[in-house]
Amino acid sequence: MLRPASLTLLASSLLASLALPAAASAQRSLAYDTLSAETPGAVSCGFCGGEKVSVIYYELPGGGGLRPSEFPLLVNELIVAVASGAPTAPTTCTAGTTPRDGLFDLAVYAGTTVPTAVRDLPAEGVWPGEIEVSSMLEVPLPESISSSATMPMYSVNLVSVPLDAAGLRVEAGYTYLRVVVGLRPDAAVMSAACAAGQGPSGLPMRDDARIDAHRNLVYAGPPIAGWLWNEEVGVAGDWAIRLDVRPLGGADGGVPDDASVAADAGAGDDAGVVMEAGTLDEGAAPPPPDAGAYSGCRCALVGAPRDAAPSGLVLSALCVTLALCRSRRRR
């Protein structure tokens, strides 16, 4: 298996490339998260191997987001941040301090109509009305690590995964792109909250901000075994999952909007990224009627009081680096 080539850039270089105006490049960066050198982030603790996180990019109310008129388009690159750590309980985990690569399954799909009911949709592969754009197994991703095991201070790695040198074409008629990051089981990750041998290969990273509905998802393992919107399980933030695309349709090719990153790079200092399991925020959507069944969900502790999350240090700066990853594609 090919291992990722290492390349580290300053935060200013990375974020400038994610926010290029249309005049400089027709490439467009899709991102709901706001992770940058000026905004806090978080590591969500409660995952085990076999579970997943996902983001759907589509046209947002008011005309923002990924518009149907931007299809056909080319999908060029996936950018994702994952963290080293191991859950010790549904709401706590230990911070990883040793550099390592975790193995993850990555997939991009295109669809026609964004579903609202996702619980019973397939865990793997396409959903109704979708096509597979790209699918890769066992991708080695360099994980963000903490400088301290007791007081988490994570330097955030945004890992770039090129999908195709020429871009993967999605024809007109499709209206959204869905990205899935699967956490493979890793027997070497000793987890007190997961079954034996089911420690997660890594933990998902997100921003620490209030989110809008129907953009981010988790796939929870047994006993839930289904998809859930982040707001259903109280995950307060957007996953650090981004796509670089090149629209070929009639819409403008990259003017930033509320689904594009145009963050100020700021200073490149380390920052404390809070370790938590996504407890229910004030103002977040209430738990579903059968919320009692969700208390065992390994991706979040539904309905937990806000102060139940383990303490962590949140600062206003993140040290953001970019690593290039090359991996084999599913055949």
Side-chain angles (χ1 to χ4, degrees):
M1 180 180 302
L2 296 175
R3 295 180 63 80
S6 295
L7 174 64
T8 300
L9 302 179
L10 294 176
S12 57
S13 300
L14 167 66
L15 293 173
S17 71
L18 293 182
L20 285 175
S25 173
Q27 193 143 306
R28 175 151 152 67
S29 182
L30 302 175
Y32 291 140
D33 75 276
T34 58
L35 278 177
S36 75
E38 296 296 328
T39 57
V43 172
S44 286
C45 291
F47 287 86
C48 292
E51 297 181 317
K52 313 172 194 292
V53 294
S54 178
V55 174
I56 301 181
Y57 292 107
Y58 60 97
E59 184 173 23
L60 301 175
L66 179 62
R67 295 174 286 278
S69 58
E70 294 182 273
F71 292 83
L73 55 75
L74 299 177
V75 182
N76 300 307
E77 185 179 24
L78 170 62
I79 298 172
V80 61
V82 288
S84 177
T88 56
T91 58
T92 59
C93 54
T94 57
T97 58
T98 303
R100 71 185 298 269
D101 290 351
L103 297 179
F104 299 83
D105 297 337
L106 307 177
V108 181
Y109 305 99
T112 54
T113 303
V114 179
T116 55
V118 297
R119 175 72 178 275
D120 296 324
L121 291 173
E124 305 282 350
V126 298
W127 291 352
E130 288 187 344
I131 60 168
E132 180 183 290
V133 178
S134 178
S135 182
M136 294 175 283
L137 299 175
E138 299 183 5
V139 180
L141 300 181
E143 296 183 343
S144 303
I145 61 171
S146 173
S147 60
S148 169
T150 56
M151 183 177 291
M153 295 281 289
Y154 271 81
S155 290
V156 180
N157 275 332
L158 287 170
V159 182
S160 172
V161 184
L163 300 179
D164 189 274
L168 299 170
R169 184 180 176 98
V170 180
E171 298 294 344
Y174 294 96
T175 66
Y176 72 83
L177 296 173
R178 179 171 64 99
V179 186
V180 179
V181 177
L183 284 59
R184 296 187 68 88
D186 188 338
V189 177
M190 304 305 294
S191 171
C194 306
Q198 295 294 307
S201 53
L203 296 170
M205 304 196 78
R206 60 171 182 78
D207 61 17
D208 193 33
R210 195 177 302 278
I211 60 172
D212 291 317
H214 292 174
R215 299 188 189 183
N216 300 261
L217 304 104
V218 299
Y219 181 83
I224 302 305
W227 289 100
L228 300 161
W229 296 105
N230 276 20
E231 61 271 17
E232 289 184 292
V233 290
V235 177
D238 297 291
W239 301 123
I241 298 173
R242 307 173 183 182
L243 277 180
D244 274 1
V245 301
R246 186 180 296 274
L248 304 175
D252 74 48
V255 176
D257 55 41
D258 52 2
S260 296
V261 169
D264 178 12
D269 297 329
D270 283 354
V273 179
V274 63
M275 307 285 288
E276 55 78 56
T279 54
L280 194 64
D281 276 349
E282 278 182 35
D290 59 339
Y294 287 74
S295 61
C297 173
R298 292 193 289 250
C299 55
L301 181 66
V302 173
R306 188 172 176 81
D307 60 2
S311 60
L313 179 62
V314 180
L315 302 180
S316 60
L318 294 175
C319 179
V320 182
T321 60
L322 174 65
L324 290 178
C325 175
R326 306 185 191 281
S327 59
R328 66 183 181 184
R329 185 166 302 172
R330 176 185 292 171
R331 299 189 184 277

